[in-house]
Amino acid sequence: IVAMKEEAEVIIKCEPTSWTLYNKLIELREWRKLKPSGHGFYLPAIAKAEELLTYNTSASCALSLLFFSDGKPSDPKPDHPVIVSNMGKLASKFGRRLSVSCIGMAEKSAD
């Protein structure tokens, strides 16, 4: 789990599916350790995600990337095409092994 901040922060790294992971996820859900705040920057998060995804060298292992955000990048407007390019590079690098999902949540009044 990578927090999308100005500098991406790894919250949970390479954790096997277990009760330990479950409890860590519950803590996140309850906002005990991490609360949404500030802006969500895609470029640092994508770079950190690539770094973490690269740890798995097994060509047969499926990989998943999920963005949970209000959907609107806080990266400067000129960087928006770079976000698209970097996502394309990730897709090329990992191919069919990688699935990408996005969940956007924001107030109805948000643009």
Side-chain angles (χ1 to χ4, degrees):
I1 296 177
V2 176
M4 296 173 65
K5 300 179 178 184
E6 201 164 349
E7 287 187 32
E9 177 186 352
V10 177
I11 306 299
I12 297 176
K13 176 179 167 184
C14 302
E15 184 78 37
T17 304
S18 67
W19 285 110
T20 302
L21 174 62
Y22 174 81
N23 288 329
K24 289 179 181 181
L25 294 173
I26 292 299
E27 285 179 358
L28 290 175
R29 184 193 75 173
E30 298 297 330
W31 308 120
R32 292 182 189 144
K33 291 188 177 186
L34 179 69
K35 292 183 181 187
S37 64
H39 297 285
F41 293 86
Y42 279 78
L43 284 177
I46 293 168
K48 185 57 74 176
E50 180 177 12
E51 177 187 320
L52 295 172
L53 291 169
T54 304
Y55 288 161
N56 187 315
T57 58
S58 173
S60 63
C61 185
L63 303 170
S64 182
L65 181 57
L66 167 70
F67 289 96
F68 185 61
S69 169
D70 65 1
K72 185 177 180 180
S74 296
D75 305 76
K77 199 88 158 158
D79 287 343
H80 290 191
V82 180
I83 294 169
V84 174
S85 174
N86 288 1
M87 286 303 298
K89 289 175 187 174
L90 270 182
S92 295
K93 182 174 185 173
F94 295 104
R96 296 175 59 112
R97 292 177 58 201
L98 179 64
S99 66
V100 178
S101 303
C102 301
I103 298 174
M105 59 174 239
E107 295 290 329
K108 263 189 167 181
S109 61
D111 57 355

